[in-house]
């Protein structure tokens, strides 16, 4: 006997066509602005938009009116601490880059001064770094000898740093910082340790008192330069360097043992510079093989804009060095970029119910799919790992507040549940687990409940090992989206019935339940 009510097979629908401009705009917004930074400008007057825009571009206008004396005291201590490190670092990094020490001192205070006005982070030390300094001396030093042509070499360095700044500014405006997400924690640790080894090897030049040294940065070239000049080693310089190196190591060890004396480790580099300068001055150590910086130029240097060598024959060398420093050898081709974008910017969809079925599909692809009252159902369409966790966290948060705004403006039932469809999430790593924990906390703060639908076996293994199942609650994990919706619907309407009964018992008949 046939069933006249059986469902007819539903075909996979083709998404509605969009104009090129609409498609480009949507893709650009999804890729570049997961956190929707322009949301604060909505429904604001022109004058208010101008103020908000100024605060967005120059954050000091946003936090300065709320600045307190307590902040000032903390910043003063932090400033003194950083300055004690930045001064000797600026000098040493200048030597790594083969430029005058005065340039290193300028780079130690000018970037933080500018960042204080234009930067978005309140807790960051900005300045030179060893890797950039080594790249400058290595790449430009191959074309221009800094000893024979110091003026041309310095001009090329200025030009390279100019282009590095231009490239980094462009990366910032285009919001391409997500490219850093492709550097895993292991890769970053390996890179920093490798850079530390190279910097340490480069310091052998000063410790051993060598005048001539290789411009290469690889270990073989550095060790060859050291051991082929054993006759040039100066014991005076070696003793002085080892004494202060031991002093720095001991102060760091003592500060770790006694947390209250953290300032000793912070002041150690500047103390070494002061004591070393006094010792060299009193003993005339420069006459015994100890290299000294000499007199630093007094006053402020004139602007270096005039030193930019746009007409120099070494312009391309400077551009290459600047580009390398700006994006650290990013070659991050179009095909590779598309692959990286798809991995780091996975699609997320809001799901709705296909009428007269228990099927849930993308509301964008199926316009007939209806939103479920009180619920936001999201589908994540990729594995969750370190390269896309930041994007997914911001994107899920944006989905939530956009849904809350939509419900509020439409006067519909407020949001109560957030259901994540994990069907397409084949794997998840530690960073992904941490992202889910942050999403859960964000949902809890909003008075909502998080539920997971159809997490796979590998995902469940990771959730179990990390104790994430206990945090979310095993009762909030379902085999399908339909089961999750049914359970949430039952609890939502049960709560409503209970609330109505407590408020007006006569309004609810006994032994009746409201199912959806």
């Amino acid at each position: 006997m046939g069933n006249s009510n059986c469902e007819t097979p539903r075909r996979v629908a083709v998404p509605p066509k969009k104009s090129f401009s609409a498609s480009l705009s949507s893709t650009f917004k999804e890729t570049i602005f997961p956190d929707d930074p322009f949301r604060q400008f909505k429904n604001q007057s022109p004058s208010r938009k101008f103020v908000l825009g100024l605060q967005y571009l120059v954050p000091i206008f946003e936090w300065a009116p709320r600045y307190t004396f307590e902040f000032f005291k903390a910043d003063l201590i932090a400033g003194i601490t950083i300055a004690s490190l930045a001064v000797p670092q600026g000098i040493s990094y200048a030597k790594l880059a083969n430029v005058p020490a005065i340039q290193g001192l300028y780079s130690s205070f000018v970037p933080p001064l500018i960042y204080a006005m234009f930067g978005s982070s309140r807790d960051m030390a900005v300045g030179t770094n060893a890797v950039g300094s080594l790249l400058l001396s290595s790449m430009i030093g191959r074309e221009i000898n800094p000893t024979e042509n110091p003026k041309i070499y310095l001009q090329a360095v200025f030009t390279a740093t100019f282009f590095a700044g231009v490239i980094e500014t462009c990366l910032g405006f285009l919001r391409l910082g997500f490219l850093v997400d492709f550097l895993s924690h292991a890769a970053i640790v390996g890179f920093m340790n490798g850079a530390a080894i190279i910097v340490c090897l480069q310091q052998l030049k000063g410790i051993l008192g060598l005048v001539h040294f290789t411009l290469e940065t690889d270990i073989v070239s550095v060790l060859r330069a050291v051991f082929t000049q054993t006759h040039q080693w100066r014991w005076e310089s070696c003793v002085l360097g080892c004494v202060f190196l031991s002093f720095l190591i001991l102060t760091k060890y003592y500060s770790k043992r006694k947390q209250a004396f953290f300032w000793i480790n912070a002041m150690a580099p500047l103390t070494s510079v002061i004591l070393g300068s006094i010792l060299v001055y009193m003993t005339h150590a420069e006459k015994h093989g100890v290299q000294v910086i000499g007199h630093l130029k007094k006053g402020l240097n004139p602007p270096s804009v005039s030193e930019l060598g746009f007409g120099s024959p070494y312009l391309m060398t400077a551009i290459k060095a600047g580009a390398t420093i700006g994006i650290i050898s990013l070659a991050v081709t179009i095909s590779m970029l598309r692959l990286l974008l798809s991995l780091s910017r996975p699609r997320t969809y809001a799901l709705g119910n296909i009428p007269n079925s228990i099927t849930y599909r993308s509301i964008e692809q199926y316009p007939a799919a209806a939103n479920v009252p009180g619920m936001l159902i999201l589908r994540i369409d990729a594995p969750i790992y370190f390269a896309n966790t930041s994007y997914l966290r911001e994107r899920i948060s944006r989905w939530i507040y956009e849904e809350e705004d939509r419900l509020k403006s439409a006067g519909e039932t407020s949001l109560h549940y957030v259901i994540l469809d994990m069907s397409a999430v084949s794997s998840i790593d530690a960073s992904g687990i941490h992202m889910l924990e942050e999403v859960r906390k964000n949902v809890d703060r909003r008075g909502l409940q998080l539920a997971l639908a159809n997490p796979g076996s590998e995902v469940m293994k990771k959730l179990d090992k990390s104790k994430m199942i206990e945090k979310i609650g095993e009762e909030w994990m379902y085999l399908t989206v339909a089961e999750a919706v049914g359970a949430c619907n039952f609890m939502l309407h049960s709560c409503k019935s209970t609330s109505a009964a407590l408020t007006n018992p006569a309004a609810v008949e006994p032994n009746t339940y409201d199912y959806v």
Side-chain angles (χ1 to χ4, degrees):
M1 189 173 184
N3 185 355
S4 60
N5 293 325
C6 73
E7 297 181 2
T8 58
R10 290 180 169 83
R11 300 176 61 186
V12 177
V14 178
K17 291 185 177 180
K18 292 183 179 180
S19 65
F20 175 77
S21 59
S23 178
L24 181 63
S25 175
S26 176
T27 303
F28 182 80
K29 184 177 181 180
E30 289 291 314
T31 304
I32 305 299
F33 300 110
D35 54 345
D36 193 12
F38 302 112
R39 181 171 183 263
Q40 59 180 329
F41 295 94
K42 294 178 181 177
N43 303 321
Q44 299 290 344
S45 64
S47 59
R48 181 58 180 165
K49 287 182 179 179
F50 174 78
V51 173
L52 290 175
L54 191 62
Q55 292 177 346
Y56 182 79
L57 294 174
V58 189
I60 192 172
F61 289 116
E62 191 272 331
W63 58 259
R66 298 182 283 104
Y67 199 73
T68 64
F69 183 69
E70 293 299 321
F71 290 158
F72 173 77
K73 290 193 297 184
D75 286 345
L76 180 62
I77 296 174
I80 294 174
T81 303
I82 296 300
S84 67
L85 294 170
V87 171
Q89 279 185 346
I91 295 174
S92 61
Y93 290 162
K95 299 298 291 182
L96 285 178
N98 286 316
V99 298
I102 190 66
Q103 307 298 337
L105 291 178
Y106 272 103
S107 65
S108 66
F109 79 88
V110 174
L113 189 65
I114 296 176
Y115 189 86
M117 294 182 288
F118 294 95
S120 57
S121 174
R122 292 177 52 190
D123 309 289
M124 183 178 290
V126 182
T128 53
N129 62 78
V131 176
S133 302
L134 285 173
L135 284 173
L136 278 175
S137 63
S138 177
M139 297 186 69
I140 299 180
R142 293 194 187 107
E143 304 291 334
I144 310 169
N145 191 305
T147 304
E148 298 176 0
N149 301 293
K151 186 174 181 180
I152 299 177
Y153 177 84
L154 187 60
Q155 187 182 65
V157 169
F158 283 147
T159 308
T161 54
F162 169 79
F163 282 107
V166 169
I167 291 172
E168 289 184 351
T169 301
C170 293
L171 292 176
F173 275 116
L174 295 176
R175 296 175 66 86
L176 296 180
F178 72 88
L179 296 172
V180 179
D181 293 338
F182 286 96
L183 297 175
S184 66
H185 179 70
I188 293 174
V189 171
F191 177 80
M192 296 304 296
N193 287 339
I197 293 173
I198 293 175
V199 171
C200 290
L201 291 174
Q202 288 289 327
Q203 299 303 315
L204 291 175
K205 173 186 177 182
I207 291 179
L208 298 176
L210 298 177
V211 178
H212 302 289
F213 208 68
T214 179
L215 296 175
E216 302 295 331
T217 56
D218 62 281
I219 294 179
V220 175
S221 298
V222 173
L223 292 180
R224 183 185 295 116
V226 169
F227 289 104
T228 56
Q229 302 185 78
T230 54
H231 60 286
Q232 297 288 341
W233 291 7
R234 303 304 298 260
W235 68 267
E236 300 93 338
S237 180
C238 186
V239 169
L240 191 64
C242 291
V243 167
F244 283 109
L245 180 61
S246 301
F247 171 71
L248 293 174
I249 294 175
L250 287 174
T251 54
K252 183 177 182 179
Y253 174 78
Y254 183 75
S255 297
K256 286 186 176 181
R257 293 289 300 272
K258 304 288 184 180
Q259 294 294 330
F261 296 99
F262 72 94
W263 54 271
I264 294 179
N265 183 39
M267 295 296 293
L270 185 60
T271 303
S272 299
V273 173
I274 295 174
L275 292 178
S277 300
I278 294 174
L279 183 62
V280 169
Y281 176 78
M282 294 180 65
T283 60
H284 299 287
E286 71 277 6
K287 298 180 180 179
H288 302 282
V290 177
Q291 298 180 26
V292 297
I293 296 174
H295 294 285
L296 294 178
K297 185 179 179 181
K298 296 181 180 180
L300 295 176
N301 272 6
S304 57
V305 177
S306 59
E307 299 293 331
L308 299 179
F310 295 121
S312 170
Y314 301 103
L315 178 62
M316 289 308 301
T317 300
I319 293 177
K320 290 178 182 178
T324 303
I325 294 170
I327 57 179
I328 306 296
S329 302
L330 214 58
V332 115
T333 61
I334 295 179
S335 59
M336 181 60 71
L337 181 60
R338 287 194 62 184
L339 173 62
L340 297 180
L341 283 174
S342 65
L343 293 175
S344 68
R345 292 296 189 264
R347 298 289 296 179
T348 55
Y349 306 93
L351 303 183
N353 177 238
I354 300 294
N356 303 316
S357 75
I358 58 171
T359 304
Y360 293 82
R361 291 292 183 266
S362 168
I363 294 175
E364 181 182 5
Q365 185 178 3
Y366 296 85
N371 290 295
V372 181
M375 302 180 205
L376 173 62
I377 310 171
L378 297 176
R379 175 184 171 92
I380 301 174
D381 232 5
I384 303 175
Y385 67 119
F386 67 89
N388 59 27
T389 52
S390 297
Y391 174 83
L392 285 175
R393 181 180 61 250
E394 297 292 341
R395 192 63 188 94
I396 292 173
S397 296
R398 179 179 158 193
W399 273 115
I400 293 173
Y401 67 66
E402 284 183 344
E403 181 67 8
E404 289 177 332
D405 289 348
R406 186 189 70 80
L407 294 174
K408 185 177 180 181
S409 62
E412 299 178 6
T413 304
S414 58
L415 188 62
H416 294 279
Y417 298 96
V418 177
I419 302 174
L420 295 183
D421 181 6
M422 309 283 284
S423 303
V425 181
S426 59
S427 62
I428 188 171
D429 68 356
S431 299
I433 297 292
H434 183 64
M435 183 277 292
L436 281 182
E437 172 66 7
E438 292 181 334
V439 170
R440 184 190 68 82
K441 290 179 180 178
N442 182 33
V443 167
D444 286 346
R445 283 194 295 267
R446 292 173 176 269
L448 309 176
Q449 176 61 52
L450 177 67
L452 302 184
N454 195 24
S457 59
E458 290 299 319
V459 173
M460 286 298 292
K461 287 179 183 178
K462 298 291 181 64
L463 294 178
D464 182 57
K465 287 183 179 180
S466 63
K467 307 298 182 183
M468 195 64 192
I469 294 179
E470 299 175 7
K471 295 178 182 179
I472 296 177
E474 191 172 3
E475 68 276 15
W476 294 106
M477 296 188 178
Y478 303 93
L479 291 177
T480 64
V481 173
E483 288 190 15
V485 171
C488 294
N489 246 333
F490 175 78
M491 283 181 267
L492 179 61
H493 287 79
S494 296
C495 290
K496 286 184 178 180
S497 299
T498 303
S499 178
L502 293 175
T503 305
N504 185 10
V508 180
E509 296 180 5
N511 299 323
T512 61
Y513 296 90
D514 191 4
Y515 292 96
V516 176

